[in-house]
Amino acid sequence: QVQPVESGGGLVQAGESLRLSCGLSESIVEKMAAGWYRQPPGKQRELVAVISRGGNTNYADSVRGRFTISIDDVKNLVYLDVNSLNPEDTAVYYCTTGRVIGASYYPDSGWGQGTQVTVSS
């Protein structure tokens, strides 16, 4: 099972940006899709961004227009560029590989430790 390793989080001010990175233990070229989740303090984990092998992307309403998911096949990394951060974006961010079936994303990798993003007002 693919084991992701997330990095790039940190403590930032509202309005600032970060680039989150996700390294994978297997080649991403063979994966059908990848996604980023986040888990705010005291809340359930939520899916925020998905990218399929064809390049199609989809975002949660709360992050659309501010977050961008991308894949670097050469470096075997999945990125999440997070811009215009606000305190509501504070969460642990996780990436996965998976499949898109219809309008739904199904992760099929393990879960990493995540990377903490904390946004102060």
Side-chain angles (χ1 to χ4, degrees):
Q1 192 178 40
V2 174
Q3 194 64 36
V5 178
E6 301 90 349
S7 62
L11 173 62
V12 297
Q13 300 280 337
E16 294 185 339
S17 302
L18 287 170
R19 165 166 270 197
L20 308 184
S21 299
C22 173
L24 301 170
S25 56
E26 297 179 8
S27 172
I28 197 171
V29 173
E30 300 178 359
K31 302 305 177 184
M32 299 298 293
W36 281 92
Y37 289 79
R38 69 183 180 185
Q39 186 165 18
K43 297 184 180 180
Q44 290 191 337
R45 192 174 295 172
E46 61 176 347
L47 180 64
V48 295
V50 174
I51 185 168
S52 62
R53 176 47 59 188
N56 293 325
T57 57
N58 199 11
Y59 300 93
D61 289 343
S62 59
V63 307
R64 186 173 292 113
R66 300 187 297 121
F67 289 13
T68 302
I69 186 172
S70 59
I71 293 176
D72 186 326
D73 288 331
V74 175
K75 296 182 178 179
N76 210 42
L77 293 170
V78 183
Y79 296 113
L80 185 67
D81 290 304
V82 295
N83 301 305
S84 302
L85 286 163
N86 59 64
E88 289 70 38
D89 296 316
T90 295
V92 179
Y93 286 72
Y94 303 88
C95 78
T96 66
T97 59
R99 295 175 178 270
V100 174
I101 302 176
S104 299
Y105 173 74
Y106 299 92
D108 61 13
S109 67
W111 292 91
Q113 293 297 310
T115 187
Q116 175 72 48
V117 173
T118 302
V119 185
S120 62
S121 58

